[in-house]
Amino acid sequence: MEQFVNSLNEILWSPVMIYLCLGVGLLFSLITRFLQVRHLKDMIALMFKGKSSDAGVSSFQALSIALSGRVGTGNIAGTATAIAFGGPGAVFWMWTIAFIGASSAFIESTLAQIYKVKQDGQYRGGPAYYIEKGTGWKWYAVLFALSAILAVGLLMPGIQSNSIALGLENAFSISPTVTGIILVILLASIIFGGVKRIASVAQYVVPFMALGYILLSIIIVAMNIEELPAVFGLIFKSAFGLESAFGGIIGMAVSWGVKRGIYSNEAGQGTGPHAAAAAEVSHPAKQGLVQAFSVYIDTLLVCSATAFMILFTGMYNTQAPDGSYIVNNLGDVEPGPAYTQAAIETVFPGFGAGFVAIALFFFAFTTIMAYYYIAETNIAYLTRGKDSKWPMFALKIAILGATFYGAVKTAGLAWALGDVGLGIMVWLNIIAIVILAKPALKALKDYEEQKKQGLDPVFNPVKLGIKNADYWVNEFKKDEEQVS
């Protein structure tokens, strides 16, 4: 069984996937004339505009939910492994995929807003919804929903809780069982409160954890400021094989940088649109721009914070493909959080292990929250027009069980199965957003034209010839009146 699953993962997560994500991001960047640069000011301004309603959340809350899924253990462990196997140049390629991927995040999140629905008094949307409404292929949408529920609802929460348990055990000698019980209690108190409570927690916890982590990295960089020219020189030279020590692994730098960048920021993967659809906005492009900026926050800020702490202190190893060391500054240390712990220890002795354990707790716990929301949205899609009370309750129990199980036991097969579910999600979503890009591009053009006229953009799908955007045709005006 495990061998079959691993073989399937080799197909789903082959280099073709990496180049597809890179190619699609570049295509959308060119078609949108690099909206991620042209509309940077709007991205920042729109984050703090809008307010929540009975049916939806504010733009900032939707951003926070999406970021809680994007900012996870990959920002600590993923960045470290990119440096370990791709060298410092991998950091440049992580930045590159974040810059390009912001356009993919815009397209998928704008589509989620265009085709969102108001279901049981709440806004719902995401790939399953826009696949069915945009292509008419319900079987394709159902396949996405099932793979999403399997991956993020059942298999991947345990992976995150395992990271939390290991971190707390190493730093504070807390039993994994105790950690598992605490996680279940905290998670239950949030997910039984619904999307509004998830949004409320995320909007406070996510900025706090990200800012604290970035602040520490700034302190460490400042205390090693004399290394600034050398570190940036090393990153850029290594990225293009111009640094002699890393010249032989330029292919690994590109591969690991792109792979870990995609894994971390999730641009184009189909996870972010679920939160984007819940936002209360007057035009889909508004939330598309906000979600595009979340890719920058994840990779250009949080992943860079990890990279800078590691590279400015020199606390890393880099291996060649044959297993030999190109750089060996840490001895026999497994790539991952240990690199960041060692980096912090050089500046604040006795502080590194505890800080990284706490950071992992916040990063991974909020990721589990986001996983639940994504799974819940896909159950809502599958149970439309039916009583969803028991399926939703079963999901809550399942995700709590998966979280506890992961904390007390390492599940190698769960990792592999989770990657299968996620891999299917990514393939289905990438293909869908290429097919469905036109409505999102129309929305962007409409947004820009209204802005030029000095208007606060309001979406009218009928005027743009976009079909099946039923919420905007039938319910938007009523909801606007209630909010105002």
Side-chain angles (χ1 to χ4, degrees):
M1 173 68 175
E2 193 161 352
Q3 188 176 355
F4 169 75
V5 172
N6 288 332
S7 299
L8 193 54
N9 270 321
E10 286 178 13
I11 297 169
L12 289 170
W13 294 96
S14 67
V16 176
M17 160 82 80
I18 295 169
Y19 297 125
L20 182 65
C21 290
L22 195 58
V24 169
L26 183 58
L27 175 67
F28 288 150
S29 296
L30 292 169
I31 292 173
T32 62
R33 294 178 293 123
F34 290 93
L35 68 88
Q36 59 265 60
V37 177
R38 294 189 300 110
H39 291 302
L40 184 60
K41 184 179 176 182
D42 278 13
M43 289 179 189
I44 298 169
L46 288 167
M47 272 196 298
F48 304 105
K49 289 185 178 178
K51 51 190 174 181
S52 61
S53 67
D54 291 338
V57 299
S58 69
S59 285
F60 186 74
Q61 288 175 323
L63 171 75
S64 297
I65 295 173
L67 274 174
S68 64
R70 286 193 165 110
V71 179
T73 55
N75 294 78
I76 297 177
T79 304
T81 53
I83 293 170
F85 299 114
V91 177
F92 172 84
W93 295 108
M94 290 184 76
W95 293 338
T96 301
I97 193 62
F99 175 71
I100 292 172
S103 62
S104 300
F106 170 84
I107 295 292
E108 63 181 359
S109 297
T110 301
L111 286 171
Q113 271 287 331
I114 290 172
Y115 294 111
K116 72 180 180 182
V117 301
K118 194 172 182 183
Q119 186 177 336
D120 300 325
Q122 291 184 15
Y123 296 141
R124 296 283 189 187
Y129 290 85
Y130 61 65
I131 287 170
E132 181 181 338
K133 283 175 167 285
T135 68
W137 302 338
K138 187 171 181 179
W139 65 269
Y140 192 75
V142 169
L143 181 59
F144 178 91
L146 291 173
S147 65
I149 294 166
L150 175 68
V152 301
L154 300 175
L155 300 169
M156 296 176 75
I159 297 166
Q160 301 292 329
S161 62
N162 187 259
S163 297
I164 295 172
L166 287 176
L168 293 177
E169 186 177 27
N170 291 336
F172 306 112
S173 300
I174 298 173
S175 162
T177 303
V178 172
T179 298
I181 292 170
I182 292 170
L183 288 174
V184 166
I185 293 170
L186 287 174
L187 188 62
S189 69
I190 294 167
I191 65 176
F192 276 95
V195 64
K196 304 290 283 185
R197 186 170 295 174
I198 293 171
S200 179
V201 172
Q203 76 173 336
Y204 294 111
V205 174
V206 173
F208 164 77
M209 71 178 187
L211 286 173
Y213 194 71
I214 292 166
L215 180 62
L216 184 66
S217 76
I218 291 171
I219 293 170
I220 289 175
V221 168
M223 295 179 75
N224 293 275
I225 196 66
E226 70 279 358
E227 299 294 329
L228 183 66
V231 168
F232 274 92
L234 184 64
I235 289 172
F236 287 105
K237 287 179 182 177
S238 302
F240 297 99
L242 301 176
E243 180 69 28
S244 58
F246 303 101
I249 60 165
I250 180 172
M252 300 295 285
V254 177
S255 176
W256 278 95
V258 172
K259 192 187 301 183
R260 285 293 173 249
I262 292 170
Y263 183 82
S264 174
N265 63 52
E266 300 180 6
Q269 286 193 13
T271 46
H274 295 89
E280 184 78 65
V281 289
S282 65
H283 197 288
K286 289 184 175 181
Q287 197 59 31
L289 290 170
V290 170
Q291 297 304 120
F293 192 70
S294 73
V295 175
Y296 285 173
I297 295 172
D298 174 272
T299 305
L300 299 186
L301 295 181
V302 183
C303 284
S304 293
T306 299
F308 288 157
M309 283 191 278
I310 291 170
L311 294 176
F312 271 80
T313 59
M315 292 293 100
Y316 68 96
N317 298 334
T318 297
Q319 286 182 288
D322 63 4
S324 63
Y325 284 105
I326 297 171
V327 175
N328 187 358
N329 294 336
L330 288 175
D332 189 21
V333 173
E334 186 177 348
Y339 284 23
T340 314
Q341 289 174 330
I344 297 171
E345 289 287 339
T346 63
V347 179
F348 301 106
F351 181 67
F355 177 81
V356 172
I358 293 168
L360 272 172
F361 174 85
F362 283 118
F363 282 27
F365 182 74
T366 53
T367 297
I368 299 172
M369 281 170 37
Y371 284 169
Y372 169 76
Y373 178 68
I374 293 167
E376 180 191 87
T377 299
N378 284 285
I379 290 218
Y381 167 78
L382 294 173
T383 58
R384 288 169 303 168
K386 302 170 188 171
D387 184 4
S388 64
K389 180 180 176 183
W390 288 109
M392 291 294 190
F393 181 77
L395 172 65
K396 291 179 173 71
I397 298 302
I399 205 164
L400 292 172
T403 299
F404 181 78
Y405 182 82
V408 299
K409 187 173 181 180
T410 303
L413 185 59
W415 266 96
L417 285 169
D419 283 343
V420 168
L422 188 61
I424 295 170
M425 279 175 64
V426 176
W427 274 104
L428 293 175
N429 186 64
I430 285 286
I431 293 168
I433 63 176
V434 171
I435 295 170
L436 291 171
K438 195 172 180 181
L441 296 172
K442 283 184 177 180
L444 175 62
K445 186 179 179 182
D446 179 59
Y447 171 84
E448 291 172 340
E449 287 176 350
Q450 291 191 51
K451 287 284 287 184
K452 280 181 184 176
Q453 296 168 22
L455 303 172
D456 180 17
V458 175
F459 187 57
N460 182 350
V462 176
K463 187 182 85 172
L464 299 176
I466 297 174
K467 297 178 181 178
N468 297 326
D470 302 327
Y471 164 77
W472 295 96
V473 175
N474 302 323
E475 300 183 70
F476 171 66
K477 285 186 178 178
K478 287 187 289 184
D479 286 351
E480 276 289 284
E481 290 168 4
Q482 290 175 5
V483 173
S484 57

